[in-house]
Amino acid sequence: MASNSAKSAPKKEAEELNFFKNASALFEKAADHLTLEAGVRTVMKTPDREVTVAIPVVRDNGKLDVFTGYRVQHSFVRGPAKGGIRYDRHVNLDEVRALAALMTWKCAVVDIPFGGAKGGVVCDPRELSQRELEAITRRYTSSILDVIGPDRDVPAPDVGTNEQTMAWLMDTYAMHVRSASTAVVTGKPIALGGSRGRTEATGRGVMLVTREALKRHKMATKGQRIVVQGSGNVGGIGARLLMEAGHKILSISDMYGAIYDKKGLDMVDVLAYLSKHKKLTGYPKAEALSHEEALELECDVLVPAAIENQITLSNVDRIKTKLIVEGANGPTTPQAHKRLEERGIPSVPDILSNAGGVTVSYFEWVQDRQQYFWSEEEVNRRLEEVLVRSFHDVVDTAQTHKTDYRTAAFILAIGRVVSVYRMRGIFA
Ligand code: NAD
């Protein structure tokens, strides 16, 4: 008996952390609420198209290496597919499939006219030179060229890719189609048709959704004690904007550890230190904490904005917050989420609270197509409009279906995709 449970414990843990399985479980729960029939469930779960490509590249040392690239286009039902490209040594087809489906639901939650996609190349960008990265990006782009385009599928940056990667992708596409088709990709440099406000968009969205959730839960919209995990594009910018909105950032972390000040951190100073030293370690004006200590601090709002699977069955009972706003994708496992609900701690789910990025990507695509560019104020005003409306759509759905915000966000999203699918009918 004892040896059996000892053996099954790690297996159980691995099951809890399986991203693909977790995404499927969320889908099924929402589909049950919508009483979707089996056939439609299968259509909604099955990616429209999956492309796997071989990417031969001559390395700097003269050797020829072949990398593997994926592009999974989950859905075109509501518009062109949309989703990032990830360069990471652990990328695999199951992960890309799950992320592509999540993009479909994320675009539908905020009601922007896109489907969902995701791409990936199995490589470690930190081990590649700029020339090698450019060669991989251009060959990958030319291999998926037939299935992308402003009306087909519009990629964007993700883990391991950035503005430069998008500029190479856009240029490769432009060379092939013989036109400067800037709308083929978002997350580009502003000089190349990028949008003002895109860099801050996801963090700004986290700040806006936090404000709406505080109002909804009758908590003050200033002066809350907030713990943020992750100090990158989402966590760092989100924490600064939350501080500027009048909250106290008790703690923020990066992959090396966390810092803490019970009087509240000066996020402008912290981010200046981070940009100079590349890590928070050694920040002189705060106390150092471990990752666990930071995540388990007593606070009013917890914002996990680093990586997936951070709140799990192994630590959920030590989380001491009143509200969770998910900046990262998948920071809470479904099992931990269930436990948080039992404990009365609401979570604003990732597909809503980090949708600011894809919303401004949509604005970038619109601006590129019009060749008319908006001011940052205009971008921020429209972003606020979309996120406030979407937050209330999710709250209304939660009330109608007597469920939590996460399930409600999936019900809303899947319901929107299914309704368009039924209107369009099945092409045979
Ligand atoms: P990033 O690479 O800019 O930052 C990630 C941060 O997390 C870094 O500070 C890193 O040091 C930190 N980190 C890594 N491991 C950690 C750990 N164990 N504990 C604490 N901190 C840790 O990435 P990002 O763009 O900020 O993305 C963060 C998350 O948000 C990811 O899940 C990403 O998929 C999601 N997301 C990002 C965007 C966007 O527009 N950037 C949009 C939607 C979702």
Side-chain angles (χ1 to χ4, degrees):
M1 237 355 233
S3 66
N4 263 350
S5 56
K7 262 187 205 162
S8 62
K11 190 170 168 229
K12 224 171 143 192
E13 238 167 66
E15 289 264 299
E16 189 194 350
L17 307 186
N18 186 316
F19 193 49
F20 184 69
K21 271 198 157 168
N22 291 347
S24 299
L26 284 169
F27 172 88
E28 291 297 344
K29 191 173 173 197
D32 287 345
H33 274 272
L34 291 163
T35 59
L36 287 189
E37 58 271 39
V40 174
R41 285 184 197 223
T42 309
V43 170
M44 290 296 128
K45 283 200 295 189
T46 312
D48 256 58
R49 186 189 279 132
E50 298 183 352
V51 182
T52 301
V53 296
I55 307 167
V57 167
V58 178
R59 303 292 301 268
D60 289 347
N61 62 11
K63 270 180 59 188
L64 178 64
D65 268 348
V66 182
F67 296 86
T68 303
Y70 306 108
R71 186 72 183 166
V72 174
Q73 296 169 325
H74 173 257
S75 169
F76 300 96
V77 170
R78 300 178 74 255
K82 183 90 194 79
I85 296 171
R86 178 170 284 202
Y87 285 3
D88 186 274
R89 63 160 78 235
H90 302 294
V91 168
N92 60 72
L93 198 48
D94 259 0
E95 177 188 64
V96 180
R97 281 182 184 131
L99 290 165
L102 276 181
M103 284 307 298
T104 303
W105 314 135
K106 194 179 290 190
C107 292
V109 159
V110 287
D111 209 6
I112 56 177
F114 284 138
K118 203 81 182 187
V121 176
V122 189
C123 67
D124 186 345
R126 289 167 306 186
E127 287 175 359
L128 295 161
S129 68
Q130 282 294 96
R131 191 205 62 81
E132 290 169 332
L133 281 169
E134 179 172 354
I136 288 176
T137 304
R138 288 187 182 280
R139 183 61 189 247
Y140 170 68
T141 306
S142 80
S143 298
I144 61 167
L145 203 101
D146 289 334
V147 298
I148 61 170
D151 291 311
R152 293 177 177 169
D153 176 3
V154 185
D158 194 70
V159 176
T161 56
N162 54 28
E163 283 192 348
Q164 178 60 72
T165 326
M166 299 306 112
W168 290 327
L169 192 156
M170 182 255 146
D171 182 70
T172 308
Y173 185 83
M175 291 298 115
H176 279 80
V177 300
R178 301 273 183 248
S179 112
S181 183
T182 51
V184 65
V185 69
T186 61
K188 301 177 293 294
I190 289 183
L192 210 73
S195 177
R196 291 185 173 78
R198 173 63 188 91
T199 311
E200 290 199 331
T202 311
R204 182 170 294 281
V206 167
M207 180 271 286
L208 292 167
V209 164
T210 303
R211 184 190 72 194
E212 294 308 300
L214 289 171
K215 283 197 231 163
R216 161 90 190 137
H217 291 276
K218 309 222 173 345
M219 293 164 76
T221 51
K222 278 187 192 334
Q224 301 293 351
R225 297 162 308 153
I226 302 184
V227 169
V228 179
Q229 187 194 46
S231 47
N233 182 266
V234 185
I237 293 176
R240 176 173 63 73
L241 293 172
L242 284 163
M243 179 196 79
E244 286 167 6
H247 300 293
K248 222 184 240 187
I249 307 301
L250 288 189
S251 169
I252 189 156
S253 53
D254 63 11
M255 66 173 79
Y256 307 103
I259 54 172
Y260 167 71
D261 182 348
K262 70 169 190 283
K263 294 196 295 305
L265 296 160
D266 174 351
M267 280 311 305
V268 175
D269 194 56
V270 170
L271 294 180
Y273 180 90
L274 185 61
S275 125
K276 188 165 169 204
H277 299 271
K278 308 292 167 221
K279 50 166 90 168
L280 294 169
T281 319
Y283 180 69
K285 299 175 198 164
E287 204 180 303
L289 292 185
S290 69
H291 285 136
E292 295 73 26
E293 288 169 324
L295 211 56
E296 295 165 15
L297 279 171
E298 192 187 330
C299 62
D300 301 306
V301 185
L302 175 61
V303 181
I307 49 172
E308 66 282 357
N309 294 333
Q310 292 304 291
I311 305 176
T312 67
L313 281 181
S314 65
N315 64 3
V316 65
D317 284 326
R318 293 193 300 278
I319 299 290
K320 295 185 270 308
T321 189
K322 295 177 187 146
L323 174 70
I324 295 178
V325 177
E326 295 183 340
N329 283 321
T332 315
T333 65
Q335 292 86 336
H337 170 72
K338 189 161 173 269
R339 193 65 202 113
L340 289 168
E341 288 295 319
E342 286 162 5
R343 290 183 54 206
I345 302 173
S347 305
V348 187
D350 47 7
I351 61 167
L352 171 63
S353 44
N354 70 28
V358 76
T359 303
V360 175
S361 277
Y362 163 57
F363 296 161
E364 179 174 335
W365 179 80
V366 169
Q367 293 170 79
D368 285 336
R369 306 205 83 178
Q370 296 180 332
Q371 285 297 300
Y372 180 75
F373 292 88
W374 311 343
S375 67
E376 193 165 340
E377 292 71 34
E378 178 75 4
V379 171
N380 291 346
R381 186 185 63 73
R382 289 177 187 259
L383 172 64
E384 179 165 358
E385 210 174 280
V386 168
L387 288 182
V388 171
R389 188 197 62 223
S390 307
F391 179 84
H392 292 284
D393 286 349
V394 169
V395 168
D396 290 348
T397 310
Q399 278 175 336
T400 309
H401 287 267
K402 298 189 177 36
T403 189
D404 55 89
Y405 298 146
R406 188 186 311 283
T407 312
F410 275 82
I411 294 172
L412 180 67
I414 296 166
R416 281 180 174 155
V417 179
V418 169
S419 109
V420 174
Y421 179 72
R422 292 198 204 276
M423 276 181 231
R424 289 179 55 162
I426 301 165
F427 178 72

